[in-house]
Amino acid sequence: GTSSARVYNTEYAAHVLGRLSPIYQEDWVGDPDNGIVGYRDKGYSMDALVGESGVEKAFEEYLHGENGTKLITTTSDGQITGEFYTKEPKPGNTVALTLDIDLQEDVEKALSKTIGDMTEKDGIRRGGAAVVVGVGSGEVLALASYPTYDISKWDEIYDTLASDDKGAPLFNRAIGGTYAPGSTFKPCTAIAGLTEKTISTSTRIKCTGVYTKYAAQGYAPQCWIYASHLTHGSDNVTEALRDSCNIFFYTVGNNLGIDKLEKYARQFGLGESTGIELYEETGNMSNRANHYEYAGTEWVVGDTLQAAIGQADSIFTPLQLAEYCAAIANNGQRHSASILKEARSYDYSEKIVQRTEEVLSTVKTEDYNWNAVHKGMELVAKHPDGSAYATFYNYGASTVACKTGTAQKGENITNDGIFICFAPVEDPEIAIAVVIERGQSGSRCAPVARSILETYFSIKSASDVTETEGSLLK
């Protein structure tokens, strides 16, 4: 009936919000033998609409009821900042998400603009994703997937959406898409090497352009700069991150071995569940155990070298990459990506559930190791040799630490571009991951992140002003 209609107040966040659908027969009955209670036994009417995807599905138990519901966004101190929808008439529960609706809107626009400009130039249709998380909390502040759609027009546009196999607008790339991280993985290799004392912060490794240790066996991978017949000279870990020197990270990976590398990647949440309440893919961190399933060959040392620079069998979601970047910013502490802030009764008087910060894992290493990695990532943005310098050289709002990555897709296929960053460097607040399918390089993704940072800090300074004025009035 009409009482279960959702009136959406935004044309954004379609993939996160998800949608309702009629109850399917098997869900109505459930599977009592395996402890799955059907909607029938939960007191639903047969013609009720239930959450089929996204938040609608994840928080069905709070959002359902005669009672109508509200889905809102709030500030950290609980002031309501936006409303996704209200379902009238009889009061029910209010669910607050960690998302910032203004930020979400800008993230979607920034992603759409950058990808749109690329496609205009070369005609290649692309997908992409951008995720913003809070460094100290792991909270998801924005989760965007491109191409997207306006959820409020679902019924009118469904047929068009469902038949677009190429663009796949219904696919949530931010948590369902898995991508090779390319060089964005190098900070993980750096921390693993530093912690296991394979290298120290002062170790210098000479870039020869070609890694020759296994040349006799016919394997001699190159540094990316060698394509122009150049080399990086002798780099320490900070400079190697700035330069993204493959020879440095091949050497570290070779000395570490894949098992240790895999251990650190998992502590960073790569190839692991993020704790988000929505359906997500968990991807895969390269490892011996399942390598054969991916490659059809036994693990060899060349695979370790490739894994150390973010290739081999490693594929991660944009959300995992954002939380990994937050953990780097947070000196190794990785929080759950839960997006439920709280659920309360409709009139807000009674709290049903409250988000508590949850640490999922910790990468333990000395502060000077974190400082060396942070510094290297900062130079990517502010040193003329850094791959994001063109985007950030004149960025004044705050200091940024970042890493670009290019994921090789094979012969004659344009590479994916990957970009991660956190800001401000001295007291990190947010971490961002941007992936553009066939985006050519990570540096092409950097403008999306810059736009997001500008929005975030302008929203923040606007709210600081209002809070200050508010406290003066008291």
Side-chain angles (χ1 to χ4, degrees), residues 238-294:
T238 296
E239 294 156 345
L241 285 167
R242 174 197 70 196
D243 296 341
S244 205
C245 177
N246 287 358
I247 305 302
F248 187 97
F249 292 100
Y250 287 147
T251 309
V252 175
N254 178 74
N255 296 343
L256 264 177
I258 189 59
D259 301 334
K260 283 181 180 161
L261 198 56
E262 182 202 357
K263 181 183 96 172
Y264 284 89
R266 291 194 186 283
Q267 288 174 359
F268 274 120
L270 297 170
E272 300 287 314
S273 161
T274 66
I276 199 167
E277 295 87 349
L278 309 177
Y279 171 78
E280 65 173 344
E281 288 292 331
T282 48
N284 179 64
M285 171 57 202
S286 301
N287 65 86
R288 289 175 202 275
N290 68 10
H291 176 68
Y292 197 86
E293 293 164 39
Y294 279 84

Side-chain angles (χ1 to χ4, degrees), residues 211 213-214 217 219 250 253-255 257 288 298-307:
Y211 187 78
K213 182 165 185 177
Y214 302 103
Q217 290 96 303
Y219 186 67
Y250 287 147
N254 178 74
N255 296 343
R288 289 175 202 275
E298 294 306 321
W299 189 271
V300 293
V301 72
D303 297 316
T304 302
L305 302 187
Q306 289 305 312

Side-chain angles (χ1 to χ4, degrees), residues 131-363:
V131 180
V132 187
V133 301
V135 166
S137 63
E139 284 190 356
V140 179
L141 305 176
L143 189 79
S145 180
Y146 177 91
T148 183
Y149 54 94
D150 180 348
I151 193 110
S152 64
K153 300 195 170 73
W154 176 256
D155 294 339
E156 307 146 49
I157 56 180
Y158 175 73
D159 292 341
T160 327
L161 293 174
S163 59
D164 181 3
D165 292 342
K166 199 139 167 96
L170 297 178
F171 177 45
N172 186 352
R173 290 164 163 86
I175 51 178
T178 52
Y179 305 92
S183 296
T184 61
F185 186 78
K186 287 172 180 169
C188 174
T189 306
I191 286 293
L194 290 163
T195 310
E196 295 290 331
K197 308 222 179 327
T198 303
I199 49 166
S200 74
T201 53
S202 57
T203 305
R204 292 193 169 274
I205 295 172
K206 190 172 190 297
C207 175
T208 48
V210 184
Y211 187 78
T212 53
K213 182 165 185 177
Y214 302 103
Q217 290 96 303
Y219 186 67
Q222 299 184 345
C223 191
W224 63 269
I225 201 172
Y226 198 63
S228 319
H229 304 291
L230 297 168
T231 61
H232 284 121
S234 182
D235 276 359
N236 64 23
V237 68
T238 296
E239 294 156 345
L241 285 167
R242 174 197 70 196
D243 296 341
S244 205
C245 177
N246 287 358
I247 305 302
F248 187 97
F249 292 100
Y250 287 147
T251 309
V252 175
N254 178 74
N255 296 343
L256 264 177
I258 189 59
D259 301 334
K260 283 181 180 161
L261 198 56
E262 182 202 357
K263 181 183 96 172
Y264 284 89
R266 291 194 186 283
Q267 288 174 359
F268 274 120
L270 297 170
E272 300 287 314
S273 161
T274 66
I276 199 167
E277 295 87 349
L278 309 177
Y279 171 78
E280 65 173 344
E281 288 292 331
T282 48
N284 179 64
M285 171 57 202
S286 301
N287 65 86
R288 289 175 202 275
N290 68 10
H291 176 68
Y292 197 86
E293 293 164 39
Y294 279 84
T297 54
E298 294 306 321
W299 189 271
V300 293
V301 72
D303 297 316
T304 302
L305 302 187
Q306 289 305 312
I309 64 160
Q311 297 288 152
D313 318 320
S314 297
I315 46 170
F316 309 129
T317 66
L319 175 60
Q320 283 176 342
L321 290 167
E323 294 290 1
Y324 151 65
C325 187
I328 294 170
N330 210 21
N331 286 12
Q333 200 172 66
R334 177 174 75 101
H335 288 93
S336 166
S338 161
I339 60 163
L340 176 66
K341 202 181 224 14
E342 59 176 15
R344 290 181 176 240
S345 56
Y346 189 85
D347 64 4
Y348 224 57
S349 63
E350 186 191 340
K351 198 171 282 188
I352 300 161
V353 61
Q354 174 70 43
R355 181 185 203 275
T356 50
E357 283 181 18
E358 187 187 353
V359 176
L360 297 182
S361 54
T362 309
V363 184

Side-chain angles (χ1 to χ4, degrees), residues 42-215:
K42 289 182 184 168
Y44 282 65
S45 65
M46 209 165 176
D47 60 357
L49 292 174
V50 294
E52 189 197 4
S53 61
V55 163
E56 292 285 7
K57 182 173 187 178
F59 304 133
E60 171 65 38
E61 58 177 308
Y62 307 127
L63 293 169
H64 174 70
E66 307 291 294
N67 303 332
T69 51
K70 256 189 194 175
L71 185 62
I72 61 167
T73 53
T74 65
T75 60
S76 52
D77 56 2
Q79 293 180 11
I80 298 179
T81 52
E83 198 175 288
F84 286 114
Y85 63 66
T86 312
K87 180 185 119 183
E88 305 291 9
K90 298 175 200 157
N93 295 334
T94 297
V95 170
L97 301 179
T98 59
L99 288 192
D100 177 322
I101 190 67
D102 296 323
L103 188 64
Q104 174 76 23
E105 192 171 311
D106 191 79
V107 171
E108 290 188 31
K109 284 177 180 163
L111 192 60
S112 170
K113 183 179 184 329
T114 299
I115 296 179
D117 291 349
M118 283 183 184
T119 299
E120 212 164 280
K121 284 197 184 86
D122 61 15
I124 299 175
R125 286 188 69 185
R126 299 172 164 85
V131 180
V132 187
V133 301
V135 166
S137 63
E139 284 190 356
V140 179
L141 305 176
L143 189 79
S145 180
Y146 177 91
T148 183
Y149 54 94
D150 180 348
I151 193 110
S152 64
K153 300 195 170 73
W154 176 256
D155 294 339
E156 307 146 49
I157 56 180
Y158 175 73
D159 292 341
T160 327
L161 293 174
S163 59
D164 181 3
D165 292 342
K166 199 139 167 96
L170 297 178
F171 177 45
N172 186 352
R173 290 164 163 86
I175 51 178
T178 52
Y179 305 92
S183 296
T184 61
F185 186 78
K186 287 172 180 169
C188 174
T189 306
I191 286 293
L194 290 163
T195 310
E196 295 290 331
K197 308 222 179 327
T198 303
I199 49 166
S200 74
T201 53
S202 57
T203 305
R204 292 193 169 274
I205 295 172
K206 190 172 190 297
C207 175
T208 48
V210 184
Y211 187 78
T212 53
K213 182 165 185 177
Y214 302 103

Side-chain angles (χ1 to χ4, degrees), residues 224 232 241-244 379-389:
W224 63 269
H232 284 121
L241 285 167
R242 174 197 70 196
D243 296 341
S244 205
L379 292 174
V380 173
K382 73 176 197 193
H383 189 281
D385 292 343
S387 55
Y389 181 73

